[in-house]
Amino acid sequence: TQNLNSRIQQILNPPSGSKKEKQFREVIFREGDKVMQIKNNYSVEWRSLSGKDDIAGTGIFNGDIGFIKRMDIENQIATIVFDDEKEVDYDFSNFDELQLAYAVTIHKSQGSEFKVIVIPISYGPPMLMTRNLIYTGVTRAKELVVLVGMRQALMSMINNNTIAQRYSGLNNRIISVLNVLK
């Protein structure tokens, strides 16, 4: 996804003298870039763009998608609009909470919908090569799905309906809490 994001950014939002940008680690963030919050931040304050000045709140969460509206290089602040309604000022030092979002993994896309999606299909770790994963990816699209890659890898995923057993320990924790409450 990092490589795809960089390449797609060069096509959809290339460098321009009229757009400010900031390099953070290996990533260049530029005005107009599509970004995703990758860590829950319960304390960041946002303002509503609904036109009502009294609507504000706190919290931007893992998976929230937005775009960089403007950058103030002198004050080291970027203004980001999430979900077309929440405007947030980010100090550049908090860019570790963001990643470019032109391309995202199926895992990160859960809970979101997109007009068009393109899914590259190739072989990968067997535990990820499942019908459930490809179904999750395909169902993120509202209008169009494009599958690109290896037909045999896709067929392998479709034929693999194995669901791995998860060992979270949640059952034991719930029983412990219930025993304490008795």
Side-chain angles (χ1 to χ4, degrees), residues 121-131 133 153-154 156-157 160:
I121 306 291
S122 64
Y123 287 102
M127 68 182 283
L128 297 179
M129 300 298 294
T130 65
R131 179 187 306 171
L133 183 71
L154 175 61
S156 177
M157 291 178 82
N160 181 1

Side-chain angles (χ1 to χ4, degrees), residues 8 39 48 53 55 57 63 68 84 89 107 110 114 118 123 131 134 136 160 169 180 182:
I8 295 170
K39 297 178 182 176
S48 175
D53 293 333
I55 299 177
I68 300 175
D84 296 327
D89 291 329
H107 173 75
Q110 290 185 57
F114 306 94
V118 177
Y123 287 102
R131 179 187 306 171
I134 196 68
T136 300
N160 181 1
V180 169
K182 287 183 181 179

Side-chain angles (χ1 to χ4, degrees), residues 66-78:
F67 72 94
I68 300 175
K69 184 176 180 179
R70 70 180 156 269
M71 288 187 167
D72 181 342
I73 303 298
E74 183 178 322
N75 292 310
Q76 302 281 295
I77 292 176

Side-chain angles (χ1 to χ4, degrees), residues 25-165:
R25 298 187 178 133
E26 302 85 37
V27 179
I28 294 174
F29 291 95
R30 184 176 297 123
E31 289 176 332
D33 275 338
K34 187 173 184 179
V35 294
M36 176 183 279
Q37 179 77 16
I38 59 170
K39 297 178 182 176
N40 289 334
N41 185 330
Y42 298 97
S43 61
V44 69
E45 296 178 0
W46 54 264
R47 306 170 293 284
S48 175
L49 293 176
S50 68
K52 298 178 182 176
D53 293 333
D54 59 340
I55 299 177
T58 58
I60 298 294
F61 306 103
N62 187 15
D64 286 352
I65 295 176
F67 72 94
I68 300 175
K69 184 176 180 179
R70 70 180 156 269
M71 288 187 167
D72 181 342
I73 303 298
E74 183 178 322
N75 292 310
Q76 302 281 295
I77 292 176
T79 301
I80 301 174
V81 176
F82 288 96
D83 303 323
D84 296 327
E85 62 185 47
K86 297 177 185 175
E87 188 175 74
V88 179
D89 291 329
Y90 271 78
D91 188 271
F92 286 172
S93 65
N94 291 336
F95 273 16
D96 64 334
E97 296 181 5
L98 299 171
Q99 69 181 29
L100 292 176
Y102 297 106
V104 298
T105 64
I106 292 174
H107 173 75
K108 286 281 188 186
S109 74
Q110 290 185 57
S112 299
E113 285 186 319
F114 306 94
K115 186 175 178 180
V116 176
I117 64 164
V118 177
I119 302 175
I121 306 291
S122 64
Y123 287 102
M127 68 182 283
L128 297 179
M129 300 298 294
T130 65
R131 179 187 306 171
N132 195 33
L133 183 71
I134 196 68
Y135 174 82
T136 300
V138 167
T139 58
R140 301 304 95 206
K142 292 184 202 176
E143 294 181 22
L144 177 66
V145 176
V146 179
L147 303 176
V148 180
M150 304 171 77
R151 180 182 195 88
Q152 199 54 35
L154 175 61
M155 296 312 296
S156 177
M157 291 178 82
I158 290 170
N159 291 325
N160 181 1
N161 65 354
T162 304
I163 298 175
Q165 180 70 34

